[in-house]
Amino acid sequence: MRQSNLLATTLREAPAEAETVNHQLLLRAGYIRQLAAGIYTYLPLGRRVLRKIEAIVREEMDAAGAQEMLMPSMQPAELWKASERYEVYGKELMKLNDRHDREFVLGPTHEEVITSLMRGEVSSYRKLPVTVYQIGTKFRDERRPRSGLMRGREFLMKDAYSFDTGWEGLDDTYSRMYKAYQRIFERCGLVYRAVQADAGAIGGEGETHEFMAISGIGEDTIAVCSACDYAANLEQAEVHTGAEAVQRNVSNLPAAEKFHTPGIRTVEQLEQELRIAPEQVIKTLIYQGGGQVFAVLVRGDHEVNEVKVRNYIGASEIALADSGTVRAAASVESGFVGPVGLSLTLLADRAVAAMTSGITGAGERDFHLRDVVPGRDFTLEHVADFRTAEEGGTCPVCGEGVLHFEQGIEIGHIFKLGTKYSEKLGATVLDAAGQSNPVIMGCYGIGISRLMAAVAEQNSDGQGLIWPAALAPYRVHILQMSVQDEVQTAAAEALYEQLSKLGVETLLDDRDERAGVKFKDSALMGIPVAIVVGKAAAGGKVEYLDRRSDSKEVIDITEAVSRVTSGQNG
Ligand code: ATP
Ligand code: MG
């Protein structure tokens, strides 16, 4: 490709709204342009990177036995109502009506479409297992589109769906997909980690893993064990039980006693004004969700993990109750709410259940209670792990290592769905005995466009992008220093032709620009190798620049060609 023809305008400055490195550089280097919030055009350079990612994904999916297909974005709303996700997906679902006023959605994912398709296509166990995949556009009306391609409202995803007759079959398929994902992310040059995850709105009964690109801008926190291979999304990282398996003797404890705490509403105030250690406090938080109002109790130094609570309650969403709801349910404002005498379902974190006694709100304005004994002064019917794991805490699996936290960008997610969709949408097969059973499903997503952003985020320096060779839009960038110089033109053209014939994707900077501009743009674009054709071309020499190591060397043109074709760089 001749750069004089390439639709790729580089920008000196990134627009102010671009805060992350990948967003700034992909805009500045001419890879993407924004059309509306969370909606982007991929310019030719960006499209080439996407195609590289897609090719890797296709190769690995095909090798894992998955078959490519393509499903429609426009999906009848009835399908989403049948799976009961029309409401659950909420405002993220893009809705539209056709001319007959029939309701449609723009697919944020394709479980409904594929499951209803399979209902018609496959009726016997003999046709299973089957795994299909597609690469296509997804629509999600995200509350906060962010960081360019990272969280788009229209984005590219690879989604795969597997159908097995039994759970053992699904286990096999799942582990094949897991391995394919490892190869994909390795080939894309990502620093990543597979972590145990929460099933969220897609939901399911089984195991689920997220693949996280490690990055400070990641929205997810990952808890990683220093000793074993345990790694989990903080949303679901379990808390080690050891410390809380204490035997309590509550028989001779004093009765709970009210004390005056005017204006003291928070654990911090109890600590600062009354010198009460947070671990002696029992926090009572009123939540609503799943059609009920309930209380969650955690120790003053702990945080409620809403994902764990949500899963325990079986609600798709929960939220802290508003002040009106709190007052109606507890007859007092939050800050003085306590579990004693509270007629709500109480969910107690294990650490609360292990306390001998604690300090709580008294359920009366400006008063707290001390010597409150869990199990004596309030019921302990619902005790479980309801809190967020802490950095430095003991590993819940090996019990020896210590958890440390990393930030991650979720680039892939695999789920064992089981029969969640096949039951609701009636996708059954007859087994060998002629019995009808719902098929056992799995689903497997990769954010193709997000992956491009994650690679850009992990691979850059002060000058610009640094693509891994496997994803670079071009392998070689020829920079002709002076387009007026005939010797240089001849040498650059010959080199360009030779590399192109050898199948090396090459971009020739043949623009009538100053050398400085060419160097800057080349570094910004991040093509792995630049070959500078300048004055030395008269003597058959060029400058060979390796973008990643930022090294320069003057070598013979022939040597440059053989280096490129032997793939020594990038
Ligand atoms: P997130 O927690 O980031 O919202 P999700 O759990 O909603 O992700 P999935 O439904 O599992 O995501 O989608 C599969 C993959 O699609 C994700 O792993 C991610 O890589 C990608 N993805 C999801 N939402 C977006 C988005 N808004 N923009 C770009 N990629 C996305
Ligand atoms: Mg999401």
Side-chain angles (χ1 to χ4, degrees):
M1 180 76 206
R2 288 169 196 281
Q3 205 166 333
S4 52
N5 293 332
L6 182 69
L7 183 66
T9 313
T10 53
L11 312 172
R12 278 186 159 206
E13 307 272 343
E17 72 273 10
E19 285 169 1
T20 52
V21 168
N22 79 84
H23 190 191
Q24 292 168 351
L25 291 179
L26 290 172
L27 285 169
R28 284 186 52 212
Y31 284 72
I32 59 169
R33 291 290 181 259
Q34 181 180 300
L35 178 65
I39 303 177
Y40 286 83
T41 297
Y42 302 95
L43 295 170
L45 288 174
R47 183 67 190 123
R48 289 181 77 92
V49 175
L50 282 179
R51 290 182 82 104
K52 297 283 168 79
I53 299 171
E54 290 173 11
I56 291 173
V57 169
R58 283 198 173 92
E59 275 178 39
E60 297 298 344
M61 284 294 113
D62 293 347
Q67 308 170 42
E68 184 168 358
M69 54 190 278
L70 187 58
M71 290 180 269
S73 285
M74 222 168 130
Q75 309 176 359
E78 293 97 78
L79 257 184
W80 283 75
K81 291 178 180 166
S83 71
E84 293 167 25
R85 279 211 297 184
Y86 194 72
E87 300 300 329
V88 173
Y89 234 90
K91 292 205 161 155
E92 233 175 75
L93 202 55
M94 291 275 196
K95 297 170 183 152
L96 73 161
N97 287 20
D98 72 5
R99 64 166 75 210
H100 306 295
D101 236 16
R102 280 188 287 253
E103 296 175 314
F104 284 84
V105 309
L106 292 178
T109 173
H110 280 72
E111 283 81 8
E112 280 75 4
V113 175
I114 189 67
T115 312
S116 78
L117 179 93
M118 292 308 265
R119 180 178 55 205
E121 299 299 314
V122 173
S123 56
S124 159
Y125 74 98
R126 288 200 190 92
K127 290 203 171 167
L128 298 183
V130 167
T131 301
V132 293
Y133 75 97
Q134 63 173 350
I135 295 177
T137 303
K138 298 283 186 272
F139 298 85
R140 295 185 183 180
D141 198 359
E142 300 276 357
R143 193 198 307 262
R144 271 181 237 97
R146 160 174 193 269
S147 191
L149 304 181
M150 212 55 98
R151 184 170 295 286
R153 295 197 296 164
E154 174 173 337
F155 60 96
L156 270 181
M157 197 202 282
K158 183 285 298 179
D159 44 332
Y161 306 90
S162 69
F163 301 85
D164 282 272
T165 46
W167 277 92
E168 306 75 43
L170 174 59
D171 291 345
D172 279 355
T173 308
Y174 189 86
S175 87
R176 233 177 317 122
M177 283 290 153
Y178 188 108
K179 286 179 194 143
Y181 273 45
Q182 289 179 310
R183 282 191 294 271
I184 289 168
F185 300 134
E186 267 153 35
R187 288 179 63 183
C188 289
L190 276 165
V191 180
Y192 76 97
R193 209 184 259 290
V195 307
Q196 294 177 19
D198 175 71
I202 291 188
E205 306 134 53
E207 210 176 342
T208 155
H209 285 89
E210 285 166 349
F211 290 80
M212 296 284 190
I214 304 304
S215 164
I217 69 151
E219 290 182 347
D220 289 271
T221 303
I222 312 166
V224 182
C225 176
S226 59
C228 72
D229 59 7
Y230 180 74
N233 192 315
L234 189 59
E235 285 186 340
Q236 73 106 54
E238 302 143 56
V239 172
H240 183 60
T241 48
E244 286 141 20
V246 214
Q247 287 298 313
R248 302 183 308 138
N249 180 359
V250 299
S251 50
N252 290 319
L253 295 173
E257 185 193 358
K258 206 156 77 172
F259 63 110
H260 197 207
T261 50
I264 295 188
R265 288 183 170 79
T266 65
V267 174
E268 292 73 46
Q269 288 174 315
L270 284 169
E271 185 179 15
Q272 280 160 16
E273 295 178 31
L274 301 177
R275 304 199 177 283
I276 291 167
E279 53 271 29
Q280 291 183 294
V281 178
I282 299 172
K283 278 194 285 200
T284 308
L285 295 142
I286 311 285
Y287 276 90
Q288 55 193 30
Q292 55 174 323
V293 177
F294 56 93
V296 182
L297 310 177
V298 291
R299 232 167 59 182
D301 57 330
H302 293 156
E303 294 300 325
V304 173
N305 180 317
E306 295 188 353
V307 172
K308 292 177 184 177
V309 173
R310 191 189 70 199
N311 290 343
Y312 186 91
I313 290 284
S316 59
E317 261 186 77
I318 61 159
L320 276 172
D322 54 63
S323 55
T325 308
V326 171
R327 226 171 290 120
S331 350
V332 71
E333 65 200 273
S334 59
F336 300 104
V337 177
V340 182
L342 189 65
S343 53
L344 290 178
T345 302
L346 301 179
L347 271 49
D349 180 57
R350 288 194 314 237
V352 167
M355 288 168 81
T356 308
S357 68
I359 288 163
T360 71
E364 187 181 331
R365 196 191 161 94
D366 291 343
F367 284 96
H368 278 75
L369 289 174
R370 62 165 73 93
D371 297 320
V372 173
V373 177
R376 183 191 72 181
D377 299 325
F378 61 88
T379 62
L380 285 177
E381 264 173 63
H382 303 279
V383 176
D385 175 10
F386 291 124
R387 71 177 209 255
T388 302
E390 288 164 300
E391 185 146 38
T394 309
C395 170
V397 169
C398 70
E400 280 168 19
V402 164
L403 296 179
H404 74 268
F405 288 0
E406 291 174 356
Q407 293 307 115
I409 300 165
E410 182 194 316
I411 43 175
H413 201 168
I414 58 178
F415 294 89
K416 289 183 184 173
L417 292 171
T419 57
K420 175 171 170 169
Y421 295 94
S422 49
E423 269 177 22
K424 290 210 172 91
L425 298 168
T428 56
V429 286
L430 295 176
D431 65 16
Q435 282 277 327
S436 170
N437 297 306
V439 289
I440 311 290
M441 292 175 56
C443 74
Y444 316 88
I446 292 182
I448 301 279
S449 44
R450 182 183 284 184
L451 194 157
M452 171 169 161
V455 173
E457 188 69 32
Q458 284 186 351
N459 294 276
S460 74
D461 63 12
Q463 304 179 74
L465 295 160
I466 307 176
W467 292 107
L471 301 195
Y474 292 94
R475 283 286 317 284
V476 175
H477 202 176
I478 301 174
L479 310 182
Q480 187 184 336
M481 293 291 93
S482 163
V483 288
Q484 272 81 39
D485 184 314
E486 281 167 21
V487 177
Q488 287 185 33
T489 302
E493 291 288 337
L495 181 59
Y496 177 58
E497 202 166 307
Q498 191 182 2
L499 288 176
S500 302
K501 272 201 185 126
L502 289 166
V504 178
E505 294 163 302
T506 305
L507 180 65
L508 170 62
D509 192 348
D510 57 347
R511 296 174 303 165
D512 191 5
E513 289 284 359
R514 282 177 295 114
V517 171
K518 296 192 177 196
F519 281 116
K520 272 213 175 104
D521 282 353
S522 178
L524 183 57
M525 286 177 182
I527 296 165
V529 172
I531 300 177
V532 183
V533 178
K535 293 212 174 82
K541 301 263 185 201
V542 287
E543 209 174 17
Y544 190 93
L545 309 183
D546 178 76
R547 177 68 184 91
R548 190 170 290 275
S549 65
D550 203 16
S551 60
K552 292 180 201 176
E553 228 182 309
V554 176
I555 55 177
D556 287 339
I557 295 184
T558 47
E559 162 73 4
V561 172
S562 64
R563 274 198 200 182
V564 167
T565 49
S566 67
Q568 281 175 29
N569 287 81

